[in-house]
Amino acid sequence: MAAQGGGSEVEDTIRELKKISGFSAYVILNNDGIVIKYENMSYKTAVHHAHLILSLYGKAIKYTRDLFDPPDNDVESIRMITKDYEMIIAQHGNFTLVVTQSNAKAE
């Protein structure tokens, strides 16, 4: 039963994200970097993002913990803005959600 509830929670979250203006794509991956689900991008791009994101997230956690004392040293999410798009990365438990959306400044 818990697995079914968790699955619908993920689907509900994705459905809500799609309603946001500028939403472009998403990738869900596990902590091993294996792409579980993706939309609006090729599998090759999803795997490429997964590899780079886990590396970046790991470094962000390491250096944030080195620089700050608890409780200020937890990384909940990362937001990156590039010339082409905005990327939001959030890790929860054993999974990471990566959402890309159009950059408001580029429009």
Side-chain angles (χ1 to χ4, degrees):
M1 295 297 271
Q4 289 175 339
S8 70
E9 184 178 341
V10 170
E11 294 299 324
D12 291 343
T13 301
I14 292 170
R15 202 172 303 113
E16 290 299 315
L17 286 170
K18 288 180 179 180
K19 293 178 184 177
I20 297 171
S21 176
F23 172 85
S24 177
Y26 74 89
V27 180
I28 298 174
L29 51 129
N30 67 14
N31 287 346
D32 294 326
I34 297 172
V35 174
I36 296 170
K37 193 169 188 174
Y38 63 97
E39 189 173 309
N40 296 339
M41 67 176 65
S42 69
Y43 179 72
K44 183 178 177 179
T45 302
V47 170
H48 182 74
H49 280 325
H51 170 72
L52 296 175
I53 294 303
L54 284 184
S55 175
L56 173 69
Y57 206 85
K59 289 175 184 174
I61 289 171
K62 178 188 181 311
Y63 293 116
T64 302
R65 286 187 179 152
D66 288 348
L67 291 171
F68 300 103
D69 295 323
D72 297 327
N73 66 352
D74 287 334
V75 177
E76 293 180 9
S77 63
I78 297 174
R79 181 178 178 191
M80 298 186 315
I81 300 174
T82 69
K83 184 178 89 174
D84 300 322
Y85 58 87
E86 178 178 9
M87 183 178 285
I88 301 164
I89 307 154
Q91 192 171 43
H92 182 71
N94 295 326
F95 300 97
T96 302
L97 172 65
V98 180
V99 177
T100 60
Q101 57 189 25
S102 60
N103 185 351
K105 291 180 182 177
E107 293 176 347

